[in-house]
């Protein structure tokens, strides 16, 4: 370890802030710090280490094995904020008025529920449901209950304010929580119940939080409430990589950490083991121009010199996409490598962009050029309709109160249970004070449904009852699920569609079953509830293992990834920084928004290990007119020896007029 890493590892008591620059070995520091605490005699089950993704938590556990052994690793609390919240609520959910069991609604469930509630409230026109959901989420994380939200004349605020209390009441009636509740509810319980707070504080001698720059207000409050009287809290993060302000993350949490926890020791990790020096010189130059508050740090390369960063101007977005495709083919397959350079397989190359819309042109060119690729961070596998349907069947088996999932599967496959039938059952449910499941069973038994609907509902509940009995007798979850899908008619329904789309749907269900099988094999004795919880908390992309393909990704999705070669495209004003942050006609942006865009650019640059391209279209066509595009302000101020103006070997070099125009635009921005 280098001296800074060692200082972070060897610190024991009191608050510690580790400012870990990109590629500086922060996971190594966290794992070795935990291992040292164990070697000093601290029990593993008194150490809580929290990260933001399951992937990061799993990597941490994997690295702990050779350091402390399997038995100690098993006892450590290595989790995400949300999975910690699940464990907490399994112990304490009766404080919410629940009966020991609860269902977790994922983002798709929440959007569907809010859409239904908006309709009930009279929202008969098309509304942006995620915008309403976002408002409710931000209110929750700011600890504003429905009655605390101030009135507003802005339409979306007013609608969200009206829906919020109904949304909370619906969650409570189903004994459900959403993702925000997995942090907010533990905070409320810890605040309101001193005995619970002391129990959990006594449980943990040491807290470690990774990616602390991504925490929001409620996550900071959870950390504060769990920290013991000795303030044994260590946080690791980089304010220069804080890019999630739009979803509630507060960079102030890491900037003000020393004020929140007086006596904090600060350690800076500035030696980068990922990128060549020119890449880091460009990154340092870009981030140093931030106007807001930041911790001063400068990345240094442990790998030394390398190729200069290639800044490329193309005629328009179409030419930009063609250039990227041609350059990738040359880097990966052939062409004559320049002295000191090497060829790179597709899997080591990524194309990053600010907006997902940019991917369309790139995909088209890569297909035409025969370059294999994957789009990372798009529609997640577990969000596909047929997979969500299977998950909904399992959730109803596990929890009879999950009415959202029951409504989803009522007509999967079609059983004749339409809106009219469901309205009749809902009326019976309200009149008799029943759950939806009980009302459906009674309606079928009492002849309140059409003959087709009656047979369909009875078939559905026969399949569900069979699955519940099988699981109660400790049958395999995989075997039970296969039988459930067969008995409920799902398997036969999927087999009826012989089209390519039908084939893809069947393959997706088969892949889901393989995921379930892998989970069951690696977690002997696992319950269906545990599997569903793990599935709901999965926030990362899950696909079949990527082969030798180029990665296309938005900058936000690329956080945490690294590639030998990175193309960062669309480096023009309006794309990077995004127009939402700089156009007063579009939004009343906060001054700090452009700083967050600069941090996003910095994150993109620091994904590159060996070679970095920064490309920008010089013009675009709007309403038949050719309009020049201004180079991104983030391209200014690079050291002369760190970058070069670059053209593809088969391209016509930039002419003197274009070079002068390019330089003039940059100078104009500098003077402005």
């Amino acid at each position: 370890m280098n001296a800074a890493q060692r200082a972070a590892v060897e610190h024991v008591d009191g608050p510690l802030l580790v400012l870990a620059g990109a590629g500086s070995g922060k996971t190594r520091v966290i794992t070795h710090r935990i291992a040292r605490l164990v070697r000093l005699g601290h029990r593993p089950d008194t150490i809580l280490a929290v990260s933001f993704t399951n992937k990061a938590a799993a990597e941490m556990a994997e690295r702990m094995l050779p350091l402390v052994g399997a038995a100690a690793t098993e006892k450590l609390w290595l989790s995400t904020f949300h999975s910690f919240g699940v464990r907490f609520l399994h112990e304490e959910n009766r404080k919410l008025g629940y009966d020991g069991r609860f269902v977790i609604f994922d983002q798709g469930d929440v959007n569907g529920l809010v859409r239904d509630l908006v309709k009930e409230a009279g929202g008969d026109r098309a509304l942006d449901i995620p915008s309403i959901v976002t408002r409710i989420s931000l209110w929750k994380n700011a600890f504003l209950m429905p009655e605390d939200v101030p009135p507003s004349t802005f339409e979306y605020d007013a609608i969200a304010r009206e829906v919020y209390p109904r949304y909370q009441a619906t969650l409570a009636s189903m004994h459900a929580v959403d993702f925000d509740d997995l942090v907010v509810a533990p905070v409320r319980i810890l605040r309101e119940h001193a005995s619970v707070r002391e129990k959990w504080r006594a449980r943990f001698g040491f807290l470690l939080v990774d990616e602390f720059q991504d925490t929001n207000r409620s996550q900071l409050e959870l950390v504060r409430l769990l920290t013991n009287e000795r303030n044994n809290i260590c946080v690791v993060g980089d304010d220069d990589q804080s890019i999630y302000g739009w979803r509630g993350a507060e960079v102030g949490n890491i900037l003000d950490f020393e004020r929140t926890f007086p006596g904090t020791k600060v350690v800076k990790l500035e030696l980068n083991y990922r990128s060549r020096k020119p890449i880091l010189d460009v990154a340092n130059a870009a981030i140093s121009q931030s106007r807001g508050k930041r911790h001063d740090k400068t990345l240094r390369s442990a790998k030394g010199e390398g190729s200069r960063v290639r800044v490329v101007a193309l005629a328009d977005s179409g030419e930009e996409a063609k250039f990227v495709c041609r350059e990738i083919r040359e880097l990966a397959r052939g062409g004559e490598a320049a002295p000191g350079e090497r060829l790179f397989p597709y899997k080591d190359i990524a194309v990053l962009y600010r907006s997902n819309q940019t991917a369309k042109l790139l995909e088209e060119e890569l297909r035409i050029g025969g370059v294999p690729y994957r789009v990372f961070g798009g529609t997640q596998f577990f969000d596909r309709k047929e997979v969500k349907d299977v998950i909904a069947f399992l959730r109803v088996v596990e929890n009879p109160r999950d009415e959202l999932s029951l409504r989803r599967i009522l007509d999967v496959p079609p059983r004749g249970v339409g809106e009219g039938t469901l309205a009749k059952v809902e009326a019976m449910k309200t009149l008799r004070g029943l759950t939806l499941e009980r009302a459906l069973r009674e309606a079928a038994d009492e002849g309140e449904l059409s003959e087709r609907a009656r047979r369909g509902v009875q078939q559905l509940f026969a399949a569900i009852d069979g699955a519940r009995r099988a699981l109660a007798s400790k049958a395999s979850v995989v075997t039970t699920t296969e039988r459930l899908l067969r008995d409920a008619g799902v398997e036969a329904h999927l087999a009826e569609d012989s089209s390519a789309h039908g084939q893809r749907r069947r393959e997706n269900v088969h892949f889901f079953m393989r995921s379930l099988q892998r989970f069951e094999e690696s977690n002997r004795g696992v319950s269906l509830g545990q599997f569903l919880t793990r599935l709901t908390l999965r926030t990362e992309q899950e696909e079949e293992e990527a082969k030798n393909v180029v990665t296309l990704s938005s900058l936000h999705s690329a956080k945490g990834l690294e590639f030998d070669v990175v193309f960062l495209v669309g480096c023009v004003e309006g794309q990077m920084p995004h127009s939402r942050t700089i156009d007063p006609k579009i939004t009343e942006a906060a001054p700090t928004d452009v700083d967050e865009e600069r941090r996003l650019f910095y994150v993109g640059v620091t994904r590159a290990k060996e070679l970095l391209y920064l490309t920008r279209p010089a013009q675009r066509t709007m309403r038949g007119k050719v309009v020049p595009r201004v180079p991104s302000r983030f391209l200014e101020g690079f050291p002369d020896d760190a970058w070069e103006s670059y053209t593809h070997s088969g391209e016509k070099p930039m002419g003197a007029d274009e070079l002068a125009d390019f330089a003039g635009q940059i100078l104009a921005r500098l003077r402005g």
Side-chain angles (χ1 to χ4, degrees):
M1 283 190 220
N2 62 49
Q5 290 175 326
R6 195 175 305 111
V9 167
E10 293 179 355
H11 175 272
V12 179
D13 287 317
L16 173 67
L17 170 59
V18 181
L19 294 170
S24 62
K26 68 182 177 64
T27 305
R28 177 177 171 82
V29 166
I30 293 170
T31 51
H32 279 75
R33 177 175 167 79
I34 294 171
R36 186 165 187 273
L37 291 173
V38 172
R39 286 196 297 272
L40 289 173
H42 299 285
R43 292 200 337 260
D45 61 351
T46 66
I47 301 171
L48 169 62
V50 183
S51 58
F52 270 82
T53 66
N54 294 312
K55 180 181 175 184
E59 183 185 352
M60 206 182 295
E62 189 178 325
R63 292 206 195 183
M64 291 308 309
L65 285 170
L67 297 177
V68 299
T73 300
E74 190 86 12
K75 293 175 183 174
L76 292 167
W77 285 64
L78 306 176
S79 71
T80 65
F81 272 103
H82 294 109
S83 57
F84 172 80
V86 170
R87 291 180 72 172
F88 181 96
L89 290 177
H90 273 305
E91 278 192 45
E92 311 292 353
N93 75 82
R94 284 178 173 78
K95 299 285 190 302
L96 300 176
Y98 292 0
D99 59 4
R101 278 201 307 186
F102 57 92
V103 62
I104 305 166
F105 284 177
D106 65 18
Q107 202 58 45
D109 299 326
V110 169
N111 287 342
L113 176 56
V114 170
R115 185 176 291 107
D116 291 343
L117 293 172
V118 167
K119 282 182 184 175
E120 288 175 17
D124 54 355
R125 66 180 187 79
L127 292 168
D128 183 6
I129 297 301
S131 289
I132 297 170
V133 170
T134 296
R135 283 165 171 78
I136 294 173
S137 173
L138 291 173
W139 289 333
K140 270 195 178 186
N141 281 287
F143 303 105
L144 291 174
M145 294 303 287
E147 61 273 16
D148 302 325
V149 177
S152 172
T153 56
F154 186 66
E155 181 184 24
Y156 274 86
D157 288 341
I159 292 171
R161 184 173 182 266
E162 182 179 356
V163 167
Y164 187 14
R166 300 181 191 184
Y167 172 72
Q168 289 296 94
T170 305
L171 288 180
S173 71
M174 296 186 191
H175 284 202
V177 295
D178 60 21
F179 266 31
D180 295 318
D181 289 325
L182 294 177
V183 178
V184 172
V187 167
R188 288 191 178 280
I189 291 170
L190 289 167
R191 278 179 169 180
E192 295 167 8
H193 301 274
S195 59
V196 176
R197 185 167 64 250
E198 292 313 309
K199 178 178 83 172
W200 284 85
R201 279 187 171 179
R203 182 172 289 183
F204 300 120
F206 295 90
L207 268 66
L208 297 92
V209 184
D210 190 14
E211 303 286 8
F212 193 69
Q213 77 279 351
D214 294 336
T215 54
N216 60 24
R217 180 180 169 185
S218 60
Q219 289 160 339
L220 173 65
E221 185 66 2
L222 180 63
V223 168
R224 198 185 64 76
L225 287 166
L226 290 172
T227 300
N228 62 21
E229 68 281 353
R230 297 192 306 280
N231 275 343
N232 285 342
I233 168 72
C234 166
V235 302
V236 182
D238 181 7
D239 49 296
D240 289 336
Q241 296 186 71
S242 179
I243 59 173
Y244 298 116
W246 50 276
R247 70 181 188 196
E250 297 188 13
V251 68
N253 289 355
I254 192 168
L255 293 174
D256 298 331
F257 184 81
E258 295 161 84
R259 194 182 320 168
T260 307
F261 294 95
T264 293
K265 177 176 180 177
V266 180
V267 175
K268 295 181 183 180
L269 305 183
E270 298 173 290
L271 187 60
N272 175 289
Y273 295 92
R274 176 188 299 158
S275 306
R276 295 288 178 181
K277 182 178 182 296
I279 295 168
L280 297 184
D281 287 346
V282 163
N284 288 328
I287 201 65
S288 68
Q289 297 175 63
S290 296
R291 297 189 178 184
K293 180 182 175 184
R294 62 179 286 266
H295 288 291
D296 183 42
K297 50 195 170 303
T298 303
L299 293 179
R300 307 184 312 278
S301 176
K303 295 172 71 172
E305 293 290 345
S307 299
R308 293 186 180 193
V309 172
R310 297 172 174 180
V311 179
V312 192
L314 289 309
D316 54 31
S317 295
E319 287 302 314
E320 183 180 46
K322 287 184 173 69
F323 165 80
V324 169
C325 180
R326 282 194 300 267
E327 195 74 7
I328 288 174
R329 290 182 65 182
E330 184 167 311
L331 287 167
R333 283 188 181 171
E336 297 181 5
E341 291 184 330
R342 71 170 195 261
L343 299 179
F344 300 90
Y346 289 135
K347 65 183 176 62
D348 294 334
I349 301 173
V351 187
L352 309 182
Y353 37 79
R354 175 64 180 85
S355 169
N356 285 316
Q357 291 178 330
T358 309
K360 294 176 183 176
L361 268 177
L362 291 165
E363 285 190 73
E364 186 178 328
E365 284 301 328
L366 293 175
R367 277 197 300 268
I368 292 170
V371 175
Y373 68 89
R374 63 168 178 161
V375 180
F376 187 83
T379 301
Q380 296 198 12
F381 173 80
F382 289 102
D383 286 338
R384 291 166 186 167
K385 180 188 180 303
E386 57 277 8
V387 177
K388 291 279 284 184
D389 288 344
V390 175
I391 293 170
F393 271 96
L394 295 176
R395 283 169 55 163
V396 171
V397 169
E398 169 67 14
N399 188 349
R401 286 181 173 271
D402 190 350
E403 297 186 2
L404 201 65
S405 295
L406 180 53
R407 287 190 181 92
R408 182 182 184 99
I409 63 171
L410 265 179
D411 222 31
V412 178
R415 310 176 198 280
V417 186
E419 291 292 330
T421 302
L422 189 54
K424 188 187 298 183
V425 174
E426 289 279 8
M428 177 186 291
K429 169 193 166 190
T430 303
L431 185 66
R432 300 184 185 179
L434 305 173
T435 63
L436 180 60
E437 178 175 325
R438 191 71 254 159
L440 278 162
R441 290 179 186 269
E442 291 189 9
D445 292 342
E446 296 172 13
E448 296 292 329
L449 309 179
S450 69
E451 183 57 25
R452 183 185 174 211
R454 183 185 66 80
R455 289 199 309 271
V457 168
Q458 289 178 336
Q459 178 198 25
L460 172 64
F461 284 118
I464 288 170
D465 290 343
R468 286 173 179 165
R469 286 193 298 272
L471 293 175
S473 63
K474 306 298 183 187
S476 156
V477 176
V478 172
T479 304
T480 302
T481 303
E482 289 171 342
R483 180 176 174 181
L484 171 66
L485 298 181
R486 186 168 57 250
D487 292 350
V490 176
E491 187 180 275
H493 180 65
L494 288 170
E496 290 171 3
D497 188 348
S498 58
S499 68
H501 176 65
Q503 177 64 24
R504 279 196 302 274
R505 294 178 68 207
R506 288 190 292 276
E507 287 172 358
N508 288 337
V509 172
H510 292 155
F511 178 59
F512 172 81
M513 293 304 298
R514 289 198 296 277
S515 294
L516 177 52
Q517 186 170 5
R518 286 196 301 271
F519 183 80
E520 189 169 41
E521 286 172 353
S522 59
N523 297 270
R524 293 296 178 186
V526 69
S527 70
L528 176 59
Q530 289 170 307
F531 172 71
L532 291 172
T533 296
R534 182 78 64 91
L535 207 57
T536 306
L537 295 179
R538 187 189 304 273
T539 55
E540 303 97 279
Q541 189 91 340
E542 167 130 352
E543 301 282 359
E544 295 279 13
E545 186 178 349
K547 304 295 190 294
N548 186 28
V549 298
V550 172
T551 295
L552 305 185
S553 174
S554 72
L555 286 164
H556 284 103
S557 295
K559 177 106 183 313
L561 305 179
E562 58 181 39
F563 302 90
D564 282 344
V565 182
V566 168
F567 291 82
L568 184 45
V569 302
C571 296
V572 292
E573 294 288 297
Q575 278 188 258
M576 202 179 310
H578 196 280
S579 57
R580 281 196 301 266
T581 65
I582 58 176
D583 188 343
K585 295 192 295 296
I586 295 176
T587 183
E588 294 181 10
T592 54
D593 289 348
V594 172
D595 273 345
E596 180 157 319
E597 292 285 301
R598 187 178 289 278
R599 295 194 293 267
L600 193 57
F601 177 80
Y602 174 84
V603 165
V605 167
T606 54
R607 299 311 94 197
K609 295 158 69 175
E610 299 290 333
L611 192 55
L612 172 65
Y613 292 78
L614 302 174
T615 72
R616 59 108 184 168
Q619 60 190 32
R620 64 176 168 178
T621 303
M622 292 181 64
R623 302 183 185 91
K625 291 184 179 180
V626 176
V627 180
R629 305 201 73 168
V630 177
S632 169
R633 67 191 72 187
F634 304 152
L635 298 178
E636 299 167 2
F638 299 162
D640 290 342
D641 60 352
W643 71 284
E644 62 182 353
S645 180
Y646 178 83
T647 55
H648 184 277
S649 56
E651 289 286 309
K652 176 185 172 187
M654 289 174 68
D657 290 345
E658 189 178 4
L659 276 169
D661 177 60
F662 178 66
Q665 290 180 63
I666 290 180
L667 285 170
R669 291 212 63 84
L670 284 170
R671 293 191 194 102

